Amino acid sequence: MKLKPKITIADHFAVIQDPRIDRSKRHKLIDIMTIAVCAVICGADGWVAIETYGCAKYEWLKTFLELANGIPSHDTFARVFAQINHQQFQSCFLHWMKSIQKITSGEVVAIDGKTLRGSYDKSSEQSAIKMVSAWATTNKLVLGQVKVNEKSNEITAIPELLKVLELSGCLVTIDAIGCQKEIVKLITQKNADYVITLKKNQGNLYDQVEKLFHLSTSTGFQGIQCSTYRTEEVGHGRHEIRNYLMLSDVQERLDPDSIWSKLNSVGMVESVRTADGKTTVETRYFISSLTDEAEEFANCVRSHWGIENSLHWVLDVALREDECRIRKDNAPENFALLRQIAVNVLGKEKRVKLGIKNKQFLAAMDNNYLARVLALA
């Protein structure tokens, strides 16, 4: 039996405003978007590939799309996605993701930036675009993304992303660039906790935290609440020990004026790594709203790197994001969102025990499998 996908794509993207003038429309916007979503799920990495997919799957697509004038050309796909309002597309994406997965309380949400290396354009002096994404580390879902302004950095993009996310009960992790008072305040206003790497250029706070750890360890932690946790890993020619130390109830000591919202604890991670006969030691400090044990702190620190291993690596290796040369107007960030839709829906499909790349291959060959992937959404 041939399966047709539930047309949730139309349900969620129907509100996007069509940027084209009426007399130039030969194809419905929702048809263009649906073909693009299906094609990228199946491994298409550019406009020509999307058109090729559409032509090859025309008979199947025709069972649930109008396609009054056939499959749009690759130039049509390029023009339309260059003009689609990215904020509207992002809003529809967020609505879709909320409908397919409820983020559980205690979910670690890692926020990190990634450069779309192929999006630079020498001729127009356009530098490579950078996107900031939020990744639910347990549910393995992209929750949202925003583009970093060309004349700014992640510090301005992170608050914009936080504002559109549902974070109540979650725990947000960010690397050192997110160590900003306003970012911390925004997280706690969202009824979420945080673990953020402490920047060395945070001046007095970094020095105070470092001194507090030195004092606490030298006095045997007298008069201060502490918790420890240790992990040891051996493999791939290296041996690594991580010692986690968490000092709680520190706001009065470090921030009596409550400049940093809910600064309840500070953490230290000492990593001792031995590889090729050489041993290196690295120490990092963190600020946090947590009040629990060091094991939870350790889990947050380890979980944060899931965005690199489970999202950025997949985008580069399976979906070839760094090789993509799409760079005109809104097209780079809109195509990046298509890739993140593919990561989410393919990751949610659990019946087939394959990696993302092979799931894409299977979806391209088997319309029933693709329909099942879309039905999950």
Side-chain angles (χ1 to χ4, degrees):
M1 181 180 71
K2 291 185 178 180
L3 297 178
K4 297 178 184 179
K6 296 190 310 182
I7 313 304
T8 55
I9 298 173
D11 295 340
H12 294 300
F13 293 157
V15 299
I16 294 179
Q17 294 179 358
D18 195 329
R20 301 168 295 169
I21 57 177
D22 287 338
R23 70 173 181 270
S24 67
K25 297 177 185 177
R26 298 186 65 247
H27 308 278
K28 291 184 66 174
L29 179 62
I30 198 61
D31 287 0
I32 292 172
M33 299 196 70
T34 302
I35 295 168
V37 169
C38 291
V40 173
I41 289 172
C42 292
D45 56 7
W47 309 125
V48 174
I50 290 175
E51 179 190 358
T52 303
Y53 169 86
C55 292
K57 299 289 186 177
Y58 174 76
E59 295 300 330
W60 181 69
L61 292 167
K62 184 69 176 172
T63 62
F64 56 91
L65 299 178
E66 285 190 18
L67 303 179
N69 291 297
I71 300 297
S73 70
H74 61 274
D75 286 334
T76 298
F77 282 110
R79 282 195 302 269
V80 171
F81 276 93
Q83 296 175 59
I84 286 174
N85 182 288
H86 181 66
Q87 283 72 31
Q88 289 182 3
F89 196 9
Q90 161 86 329
S91 178
C92 292
F93 169 79
L94 290 169
H95 184 268
W96 190 3
M97 292 309 108
K98 288 175 187 176
S99 73
I100 68 173
Q101 186 73 54
K102 182 174 176 63
I103 299 305
T104 54
S105 180
E107 173 76 77
V108 176
V109 176
I111 294 179
D112 197 20
K114 183 181 184 299
T115 301
L116 310 185
R117 301 189 185 281
S119 62
Y120 73 90
D121 188 3
K122 278 188 178 181
S123 62
S124 62
E125 298 184 348
Q126 174 183 296
S127 57
I129 290 170
K130 191 163 192 176
M131 307 295 293
V132 175
S133 301
W135 174 252
T137 60
T138 301
N139 288 294
K140 297 191 182 301
L141 276 178
V142 183
L143 302 180
Q145 67 166 13
V146 295
K147 176 185 173 184
V148 176
N149 189 289
E150 191 172 349
K151 296 183 179 179
S152 185
N153 58 30
E154 291 176 45
I155 293 174
T156 58
I158 291 171
E160 294 306 310
L161 180 57
L162 290 171
K163 287 173 185 176
V164 300
L165 297 177
E166 294 283 349
L167 295 171
S168 181
C170 295
L171 203 155
V172 178
T173 62
I174 317 176
D175 61 17
I177 200 165
C179 190
Q180 304 289 328
K181 299 178 185 69
E182 289 305 313
I183 290 176
V184 167
K185 182 180 179 181
L186 187 54
I187 293 170
T188 56
Q189 286 175 342
K190 288 275 187 172
N191 195 32
D193 283 304
Y194 64 86
V195 172
I196 301 177
T197 308
L198 182 56
K199 294 173 70 173
K200 285 190 176 182
N201 65 2
Q202 279 296 344
N204 291 338
L205 181 59
Y206 187 94
D207 293 338
Q208 287 178 284
V209 169
E210 190 172 45
K211 288 176 182 177
L212 180 60
F213 274 105
H214 289 164
L215 176 64
S216 299
T217 53
S218 64
T219 60
F221 305 104
Q222 292 182 6
I224 191 165
Q225 184 178 341
C226 75
S227 175
T228 62
Y229 187 70
R230 182 179 186 272
T231 63
E232 185 171 0
E233 296 176 5
V234 179
H236 305 290
R238 70 174 183 267
H239 177 209
E240 185 165 7
I241 297 172
R242 291 190 183 95
N243 295 306
Y244 299 87
L245 175 58
M246 185 176 175
L247 306 180
S248 302
D249 196 19
V250 298
Q251 186 136 33
E252 284 300 316
R253 292 172 180 263
L254 298 174
D255 184 31
D257 296 325
S258 298
I259 296 173
W260 294 86
S261 180
K262 295 186 179 180
L263 178 55
N264 294 324
S265 61
V266 290
M268 181 182 78
V269 181
E270 181 189 66
S271 301
V272 183
R273 176 181 292 189
T274 302
D276 299 324
K278 296 181 180 179
T279 299
T280 58
V281 179
E282 179 189 19
T283 302
R284 290 173 292 153
Y285 298 107
F286 298 80
I287 59 173
S288 173
S289 61
L290 293 177
T291 57
D292 294 325
E293 297 297 307
E295 185 173 356
E296 183 182 8
F297 163 61
N299 177 59
C300 293
V301 173
R302 292 197 308 269
S303 295
H304 179 78
W305 299 113
I307 195 170
E308 290 287 346
N309 300 328
S310 300
L311 177 59
H312 293 170
W313 186 89
V314 168
L315 289 171
D316 283 340
V317 175
L319 281 75
R320 301 169 63 187
E321 184 169 74
D322 270 356
E323 299 174 35
C324 183
R325 295 292 291 142
I326 292 171
R327 54 190 185 275
K328 186 176 180 181
D329 300 327
N330 294 336
E333 52 262 52
N334 285 334
F335 205 96
L337 204 50
L338 289 174
R339 282 188 290 261
Q340 296 197 345
I341 290 170
V343 169
N344 279 2
V345 297
L346 288 167
K348 190 172 173 59
E349 201 291 301
K350 303 294 187 183
R351 289 173 61 183
V352 175
K353 304 300 182 184
L354 294 171
I356 292 287
K357 189 68 176 175
N358 284 316
K359 283 184 178 181
Q360 287 184 294
F361 186 48
L362 179 57
M365 293 190 299
D366 186 346
N367 294 337
N368 284 347
Y369 177 70
L370 175 57
R372 189 162 71 233
V373 168
L374 291 171
L376 289 170

